[in-house]
Amino acid sequence: PDILVLDMRLPMIDGYTVMNTIRESGNKLPILMVTGLSEDEISALGGIPENVFYVPKPVDLRRLEKIFIELIGHKIMEEKQ
């Protein structure tokens, strides 16, 4: 996949654990984290790493589109190097 979109609250395992597992494996896949959690709740979990995009719910579709374009553009630039 080019981008992984995760929700912080998933049925079987939370998105934060999935994100950490992916990063610990060395995978640099761009991650977009969507959540209804407040910034304080996210901080209590350890925060969002700087290489992960965070989008609060309700999701603003224009903002989401801009993030996808930025992530895809960044991935293309990395592949060219």
Side-chain angles (χ1 to χ4, degrees):
D2 291 322
I3 300 170
L4 178 62
V5 179
L6 286 172
D7 194 306
M8 288 288 271
R9 295 188 180 171
L10 298 171
M12 302 298 264
I13 185 171
D14 65 89
Y16 199 80
T17 300
V18 173
M19 176 188 66
N20 284 332
T21 301
I22 289 169
R23 290 296 181 243
E24 288 170 4
S25 75
N27 192 317
K28 296 183 182 192
L29 177 71
I31 297 174
L32 175 63
M33 186 68 71
V34 180
T35 184
L37 297 177
S38 70
E39 288 187 25
D40 289 339
E41 291 171 308
I42 292 170
S43 292
L45 289 171
I48 300 285
E50 62 185 59
N51 58 349
V52 174
F53 285 82
Y54 160 76
V55 177
K57 290 180 183 176
V59 175
D60 177 336
L61 294 180
R62 284 184 222 124
R63 180 176 180 201
L64 189 62
E65 180 181 36
K66 287 178 185 179
I67 292 171
F68 278 138
I69 290 168
E70 185 175 339
L71 287 172
I72 290 169
H74 181 71
K75 183 166 177 59
I76 290 170
M77 293 301 291
E78 282 183 347
E79 289 173 355
K80 287 183 178 180
Q81 294 178 352

